[in-house]
Amino acid sequence: MEYVVILLKPGFLHLSGLVKQELQNLGLVLESSKLIFITEDVARYWRESVRTKPYFEEMIEYHLSGQCFAMLWSGMSALDTALNYRGMYSEETKTGFRGKHGESPLRNAIHVSTKNEIVRDIEIFFPEYAKV
């Protein structure tokens, strides 16, 4: 059993019902969800891995611009399932949920934890599950 954190980013909360339905159809189980405002301190800690990128400050401003919908999902191969569902959004490639609903590489609609991020993402957004 694996866990994965998925966040709908500001401006995309209206898609929460669609995301829940599609992920359930893929066999994942919604363990917890909540509407959140990400603080600047949390945003900077959460996105520390891209701090040196030229788009970092713009990304932080975007995450602070409105509510996010945080979801904790579980299931067999939950990480791979969610990452495949997420897809990509770049100038060259538009696939999955990001490809259908994203507006730009920065405003790409959805965050899905990677294997390197999952522990930190659970600690930040679902601390009550941090020992999972």
Side-chain angles (χ1 to χ4, degrees), residues 2 5 9 20 29 35 54 80 84 88 90 113-114 117 119:
E2 289 182 338
V5 173
K9 297 178 181 180
K20 288 192 287 188
V29 175
L35 286 172
D80 288 339
N84 286 334
M88 297 294 296
S90 69
S113 302
T114 65
E117 299 169 333
V119 171

Side-chain angles (χ1 to χ4, degrees), residues 118-129:
I118 186 62
V119 171
R120 185 206 56 223
D121 285 3
I122 290 174
E123 289 173 351
I124 293 171
F125 300 112
F126 296 95
E128 63 275 25
Y129 288 86

Side-chain angles (χ1 to χ4, degrees), residues 22-117:
E22 289 181 342
L23 289 172
Q24 287 170 341
N25 289 346
L26 291 172
L28 299 183
V29 175
L30 182 61
E31 298 290 341
S32 185
S33 64
K34 56 181 115 175
L35 286 172
I36 60 171
F37 283 102
I38 297 176
T39 66
E40 185 172 353
D41 287 345
V42 168
R44 289 182 180 283
Y45 172 69
W46 176 44
R47 304 310 296 167
E48 174 66 22
S49 65
V50 294
R51 183 178 50 82
T52 60
K53 301 291 185 184
Y55 56 81
F56 180 72
E57 291 301 326
E58 184 180 0
M59 177 190 301
I60 297 302
E61 288 178 30
Y62 172 52
H63 289 311
L64 301 177
S65 69
Q67 283 186 307
C68 295
F69 185 60
M71 298 169 279
L72 179 66
W73 292 86
S74 67
M76 300 303 293
S77 302
L79 284 166
D80 288 339
T81 299
L83 287 167
N84 286 334
Y85 173 78
R86 178 199 71 189
M88 297 294 296
Y89 190 109
S90 69
E91 297 305 320
E92 303 81 31
T93 307
K94 294 174 179 64
T95 62
F97 189 86
R98 284 183 172 177
K100 290 178 191 171
H101 303 287
E103 297 172 357
S104 71
L106 183 63
R107 295 180 59 85
N108 57 25
I110 196 169
H111 166 80
V112 174
S113 302
T114 65
K115 290 179 181 172
N116 296 333
E117 299 169 333

